[in-house]
Amino acid sequence: MAKTIAINAGSSSLKWTLYEMPAEETIASGIVERIGLDNSIFTIKYGEGKKYEDVLDINNHEIAVELLLEKLDDLGVLTDINEIEGVGHRVVAGGEIFSESSLITDEVIEQIESLNDLAPLHNPANVTGIRAFKKVLPNITSVAVFDTSFHQTMPAVNYLYSLPYEYYEDFDARKYGAHGTSHQFVAERAAEILDKPFEDLKIITCHLGNGASITAVENGKSIDTSMGFTPLAGVTMGTRTGDIDASLIPYLMNRLELTDVQDMIDIFNNQSGLKGISGVSSDMRDLEAAEAEGNERAEIALRIFEDRVRNYVAQYMVKMEGADAIVFTAGIGENAPETRQNIINNFKFLGIELDEEKNNVRGKERIISTDDSKVKVILIPTDEELVIARDVEYFKNLAN
Ligand code: ADP
């Protein structure tokens, strides 16, 4: 049976999901962590709730891929590694080169590498994953799926920064956005749920996970999104600042006695957001627990998060002159009813309202607004890996 593997490679990790295609059935998934370090952790979930775990030294991504295929064979998940006919790789930055997924060739790898400056941590890691699979399974359909490509339809008014225009022309300094596969997946699904053509709808998608972004999808196209040149911009996130005044950079560097601007950016990426404000955690569940115990900084962190998401939803509603649906997805969007309620509460004056009982659900696809709400609010679990597997299937079919 034909199988496709969706890969998300980080600098020291390799996350994967194996699908039976075209049935779109998940057969196994897992992660290899601490690649290149001592005691790498190797996990496979398969069958009916079975789990294989091992701790060993895995020196590089290529060895991780070899080991993975060997184990899938040993565990009987595959009868032969040649059953894997396709691999799809998540790539974070596609710049202006990739407005859709692409078959991977040597030229495409070079193009992805030419965009390393746009995602210095992610793109090189993504290419490491691509090379590892190319080496171990050289003849299968290999596809790159970009986080940014769905947003390539944004008009210049929305992607340009108010900087000297030459910085865009000469240095590619513009908004690219991220989470594109997720926004596209849930927006298309919303159209199916509403039983209307995707091309006729105005949809605001809220991907609220550790990283969070909001997108305005008009007539089937992303027209604006909250993340920017990199995923640091937009709403408050688990550990990222979201939008801030750039003047804080020299001011804080001076106060903190930092000399390398990268150290400041690292603080904005890893020590800020919900974690920085609360001093408790970047994790929503910890913050909800701390708030219940009366922790004021956890409470203010939660209110700031809700406020920043709400601002973008309101902004996009005005930009599109209305909305047919507001969609919540990802860890927080799918599992935090109170956060959804607090965000949507302010829209009552526009006739947009959640049904308290319907909203009290986690992780299940469902319309959660009242029957007469002017805009449908929908909870839709995202599935970025499935989008990757579908794109591989598309290229496989083209080749046949
Ligand atoms: P990532 O961006 O890492 O993929 P996820 O989409 O998994 O992140 O989202 C992680 C966030 O979802 C965390 O803040 C986590 O606390 C939150 N989350 C997960 N389950 C729940 C829950 N039951 N209630 C509230 N928040 C939750």
Side-chain angles (χ1 to χ4, degrees):
M1 289 285 235
K3 300 191 174 43
T4 288
I5 191 161
I7 300 295
N8 185 353
S11 53
S12 66
S13 69
L14 190 91
K15 238 169 124 176
W16 57 272
T17 306
L18 183 68
Y19 291 93
E20 182 84 54
M21 294 304 276
E24 300 190 349
E25 203 181 308
T26 306
I27 326 169
S29 63
I31 183 163
V32 190
E33 294 165 276
R34 298 180 53 85
I35 298 173
L37 304 169
D38 298 345
N39 298 328
S40 317
I41 308 164
F42 187 91
T43 320
I44 300 181
K45 288 187 193 161
Y46 66 108
E48 309 250 314
K50 287 193 224 163
K51 192 169 170 184
Y52 170 87
E53 200 171 62
D54 199 4
V55 177
L56 69 169
D57 293 349
I58 301 175
N59 286 337
N60 59 47
H61 284 70
E62 207 179 298
I63 296 175
V65 174
E66 279 169 359
L67 203 65
L68 169 61
L69 297 176
E70 202 180 291
K71 269 293 152 223
L72 288 174
D73 205 11
D74 287 354
L75 295 170
V77 177
L78 296 172
T79 42
D80 181 335
I81 65 164
N82 292 317
E83 277 182 303
I84 300 183
E85 294 183 4
V87 56
H89 295 271
R90 174 194 183 208
V91 178
V92 167
E96 288 191 331
I97 303 176
F98 298 101
S99 56
E100 46 197 38
S101 300
S102 172
L103 263 185
I104 295 172
T105 59
D106 289 342
E107 191 196 348
V108 166
I109 295 178
E110 273 170 33
Q111 284 170 319
I112 295 172
E113 285 180 322
S114 76
L115 299 167
N116 280 354
D117 280 347
L118 304 186
L121 293 180
H122 293 100
N123 270 31
N126 301 150
V127 168
T128 306
I130 290 172
R131 288 223 160 94
F133 269 87
K134 272 241 166 270
K135 196 128 193 207
V136 182
L137 294 171
N139 298 319
I140 64 174
T141 305
S142 172
V143 175
V145 179
F146 300 89
D147 268 24
T148 48
S149 58
F150 182 54
H151 301 303
Q152 276 297 300
T153 45
M154 285 189 288
V157 165
N158 294 338
Y159 72 64
L160 281 179
Y161 289 114
S162 306
L163 288 167
Y165 190 76
E166 302 74 46
Y167 298 177
Y168 163 61
E169 290 182 308
D170 298 343
F171 311 133
D172 303 318
R174 53 158 284 180
K175 178 191 278 196
Y176 294 100
H179 291 146
T181 42
S182 176
H183 288 293
Q184 181 173 10
F185 176 81
V186 298
E188 283 176 359
R189 185 72 201 121
E192 282 168 19
I193 293 168
L194 297 176
D195 200 18
K196 296 210 172 110
F198 189 35
E199 296 70 29
D200 293 348
L201 293 171
K202 298 170 181 176
I203 303 170
I204 297 167
T205 49
C206 306
H207 177 109
L208 310 180
N210 257 323
S213 65
I214 322 298
T215 296
V217 184
E218 188 167 24
N219 304 333
K221 293 187 172 123
S222 166
I223 61 139
D224 203 358
T225 192
S226 61
M227 282 179 167
F229 177 66
T230 72
L232 181 56
V235 301
T236 301
M237 302 177 220
T239 61
R240 294 189 195 122
T241 54
D243 300 330
I244 54 164
D245 181 343
S247 308
L248 280 165
I249 296 172
Y251 173 75
L252 287 177
M253 283 185 69
N254 197 11
R255 287 297 169 118
L256 293 165
E257 296 178 18
L258 298 177
T259 48
D260 186 348
V261 72
Q262 192 53 47
D263 292 337
M264 190 74 252
I265 297 295
D266 288 346
I267 293 173
F268 291 159
N269 267 309
N270 303 317
Q271 305 297 332
S272 304
L274 296 174
K275 180 179 173 187
I277 302 163
S278 69
V280 173
S281 167
S282 62
D283 192 292
M284 197 59 152
R285 286 163 291 201
D286 297 340
L287 293 182
E288 286 177 349
E291 183 192 30
E293 285 168 10
N295 184 311
E296 284 177 19
R297 273 172 60 186
E299 188 188 339
I300 187 80
L302 289 168
R303 297 297 91 75
I304 289 175
F305 179 75
E306 292 154 7
D307 177 79
R308 303 307 189 264
V309 173
R310 192 190 295 123
N311 286 351
Y312 271 98
V313 173
Q315 191 189 125
Y316 291 162
M317 208 176 282
V318 173
K319 201 177 272 250
M320 296 194 287
E321 300 182 49
D324 297 289
I326 298 167
V327 178
F328 284 102
T329 194
I332 299 169
E334 292 168 28
N335 296 302
E338 249 182 67
T339 301
R340 293 193 296 257
Q341 187 76 60
N342 290 342
I343 291 167
I344 297 298
N345 263 344
N346 288 48
F347 293 97
K348 249 184 210 160
F349 79 101
L350 288 169
I352 306 168
E353 229 176 305
L354 288 189
D355 179 311
E356 207 180 315
E357 205 184 307
K358 288 182 187 157
N359 182 42
N360 199 8
V361 68
R362 295 175 202 274
K364 270 207 198 105
E365 187 176 284
R366 182 174 204 185
I367 293 180
I368 55 175
S369 45
T370 57
D371 290 343
D372 57 0
S373 175
K374 290 272 196 306
V375 175
K376 296 272 180 260
V377 185
I378 318 177
L379 189 171
I380 304 178
T382 193
D383 197 340
E384 290 156 288
E385 292 75 25
L386 181 59
V387 176
I388 294 176
R390 282 179 183 167
D391 282 3
V392 175
E393 195 64 12
Y394 169 80
F395 282 101
K396 249 175 64 189
N397 290 337
L398 274 190
N400 292 331

